[in-house]
Amino acid sequence: MDYNATTPLEPEVIQAITEAMWEAWGNPSSSYPAGRKAKEIINAARESLAKMIGGNPPDIIFTSGGTESNNLVIQSMVRHFRESQMAKEDGVEALGNGAKPHFVTCTVEHDSIRLPLEHLKEDGVAAVTFVPVSKVSGQAEVDDVLAAVQPTTCLVTIMLANNETGVIMHVPEISQRIKALNSRRVALGLPRILVHTDAAQALGKRRVDVEDLGVDFLTIVGHKFYGPRIGALYVRGLGELTPLHPMLFGGGQERDFRPGTENTPMIAGLGKAAELVSKNCEAYEAHMREVRDYLEARLQAEFGQKRIHLNSQFPGTERLPNTCNVSIQGPQLQGHLVLAQCRTLLASVGAACHLDLGDRPSPVLLSSGVPFDVARNALRLSVGRSTTKAEVDLVVEDLKQAVARLEGSA
């Protein structure tokens, strides 16, 4: 039950990858049949990704994964700010000499957002505001995000869904407010603010539409929705409405925005995974919600409602249909100790990308208002497309025996 960490490849995805390896081995830039076949597969995958998120195919750039996509957006905005300032375009002269780009994000972002911004701040390249999330809703509140905006703000980046709590952020509302603010900023001679969302955890679990979200950039991560470990970046009106500057330079692939010979088999697999999401997302979501709700009910029934703390339930806040962050309260029941005693359950205590916290509580949970002793006992349980209620029953029994062993009553 760790499907927020990664997912297995769907059989159809494996088939698409395998077929591309056999039939589309040519360089996509080559004009002979094998090269043309590879290019056709890449273009078809681009169309599938665009359809999944309600965007246009030319606005999709393939990347190595979410970390690259997120870094590409951040580094691109630094360069765009600098170039605009040097060219004295878009009213940047109103900021004065030596102005630094300013970024607004929140305290529960993935490390591939947090760390690049922290490094830019430490190096004196940019200013960054980390907006605390509400301890009532677990969300970055719209008013707090807007209050953090400064004259030099160039990007607001807020994740679509948190990877530990599953909380859905107010991205559409933030985009609407920023759009309204931009019209006033232009009149004042200030640069336009762009909006980015990391949609890694949301894709494949709920409908994601860039028109509804209103974002300029959106990060796509294949291995979160039963695809291969590559990714993509959506850029609204790529190179025309929205600037993008490459981090790499080379052979001109991906219209020079992300050069390097394309990984045709993995792109084929990503396209197939996106196609499956477009066809089946409602069914996936309904199944995962039913199983997740059953899991939470079984945990409360087995351990008692007073002993179970559902860390991902915030009143009135929407969350992912598959995510259950739960603590079994007790002085000997730290999350990592409970998992070590489990013989069936495979899960984590937080984000898989930074599990070196030892017995320290998750910073995300602490930021979200979960008490220290409760957060220390947290387990992140995330169900998948094929998780069954019978498997939930096995997991709950496994947890019951693990707790009994830790408390010395086994």
Side-chain angles (χ1 to χ4, degrees):
M1 288 193 179
D2 205 16
Y3 289 91
N4 280 6
T6 196
T7 57
L9 296 177
E10 286 281 14
E12 296 96 323
V13 172
I14 295 173
Q15 181 179 354
I17 293 171
T18 303
E19 289 177 356
M21 286 179 168
W22 281 109
E23 300 172 9
W25 52 266
N27 190 315
S29 299
S30 299
S31 59
Y32 46 75
R36 292 199 302 271
K37 176 69 172 177
K39 179 63 74 176
E40 290 170 4
I41 286 174
I42 291 168
N43 289 337
R46 201 184 311 276
E47 290 179 3
S48 294
L49 284 170
K51 182 179 179 181
M52 177 178 69
I53 63 170
N56 296 316
D59 294 342
I60 300 291
I61 293 293
F62 292 109
T63 68
S64 62
T67 294
E68 182 186 343
S69 294
N70 287 343
N71 276 264
L72 180 56
V73 171
I74 291 168
Q75 297 297 336
S76 181
M77 291 310 301
V78 170
R79 182 174 170 185
H80 179 67
F81 183 91
R82 286 174 172 171
E83 291 187 357
S84 297
Q85 187 180 32
M86 286 189 294
K88 302 297 182 184
E89 294 174 350
D90 299 326
V92 181
E93 64 267 25
L95 301 175
N97 293 328
K100 297 177 183 178
H102 174 248
F103 295 81
V104 177
T105 188
C106 74
T107 53
V108 298
E109 293 289 323
H110 189 268
D111 278 356
S112 60
I113 290 290
R114 180 181 65 84
L115 289 176
L117 291 176
E118 285 184 352
H119 280 292
L120 288 174
K121 185 176 181 179
E122 290 168 3
D123 292 344
V125 173
V128 184
T129 299
F130 291 92
V131 176
V133 295
S134 166
K135 297 186 186 302
V136 176
S137 68
Q139 298 166 309
E141 298 294 354
V142 179
D143 287 343
D144 294 339
V145 172
L146 269 291
V149 168
Q150 300 176 11
T152 54
T153 302
C154 60
L155 183 74
V156 171
T157 174
I158 301 292
M159 64 189 353
L160 185 50
N162 185 262
N163 47 318
E164 294 190 36
T165 63
V167 163
I168 306 296
M169 298 293 180
H170 298 294
V171 174
E173 295 85 352
I174 291 170
S175 295
Q176 290 170 7
R177 293 278 296 275
I178 292 294
K179 184 177 181 180
L181 179 61
N182 277 335
S183 62
R184 300 195 295 272
R185 285 172 67 91
V186 170
L188 294 170
L190 297 175
R192 184 166 64 106
I193 302 169
L194 300 181
V195 179
H196 166 252
T197 191
D198 180 348
Q201 285 297 338
L203 289 164
K205 299 167 188 167
R206 68 194 305 270
R207 281 290 172 193
V208 173
D209 189 296
V210 293
E211 294 306 315
D212 293 340
L213 295 173
V215 295
D216 302 291
F217 302 100
L218 182 140
T219 293
I220 298 168
V221 181
H223 75 98
K224 302 295 188 182
F225 55 96
Y226 293 73
R229 288 175 185 170
I230 63 167
L233 178 66
Y234 163 81
V235 185
R236 182 182 299 276
L238 174 60
E240 297 177 3
L241 293 176
T242 306
L244 188 71
H245 296 278
M247 290 194 298
L248 305 173
F249 300 90
Q253 294 85 355
E254 295 298 285
R255 290 156 286 166
D256 278 326
F257 292 111
R258 205 288 183 180
T261 303
E262 301 93 334
N263 189 344
T264 306
M266 295 304 110
I267 290 174
L270 185 63
K272 177 57 69 173
E275 181 184 325
L276 293 172
V277 169
S278 295
K279 289 180 180 177
N280 305 308
C281 190
E282 285 79 8
Y284 295 154
E285 182 177 2
H287 171 77
M288 288 187 284
R289 177 172 284 109
E290 180 181 0
V291 174
R292 190 274 313 276
D293 290 350
Y294 178 73
L295 168 64
E296 292 181 346
R298 287 284 289 110
L299 287 168
Q300 290 178 322
E302 192 63 53
F303 293 98
Q305 290 193 9
K306 290 184 178 180
R307 201 173 188 198
I308 288 292
H309 192 283
L310 295 172
N311 306 316
S312 49
Q313 283 192 6
F314 296 88
T317 298
E318 186 183 1
R319 59 177 169 145
L320 292 174
N322 77 318
T323 304
C324 167
N325 195 302
V326 62
S327 296
I328 307 170
Q329 300 193 61
Q332 300 162 307
L333 302 181
Q334 287 86 2
H336 70 286
L337 297 178
V338 172
L339 289 178
Q341 289 291 326
C342 287
R343 295 169 182 174
T344 301
L345 173 63
L346 302 176
S348 65
V349 297
C353 298
H354 42 85
L355 286 181
D356 55 351
L357 294 174
D359 63 352
R360 288 177 291 160
S362 159
V364 168
L365 295 183
L366 295 177
S367 295
S368 302
V370 178
F372 184 94
D373 288 342
V374 176
R376 191 171 56 176
N377 288 19
L379 305 171
R380 184 187 69 174
L381 308 180
S382 47
V383 304
R385 298 174 185 175
S386 61
T387 307
T388 65
K389 291 181 179 180
E391 290 172 335
V392 168
D393 291 337
L394 290 173
V395 162
V396 172
E397 181 61 28
D398 194 25
L399 283 169
K400 179 182 176 182
Q401 293 179 11
V403 167
R405 283 191 287 272
L406 286 170
E407 293 184 331
S409 57

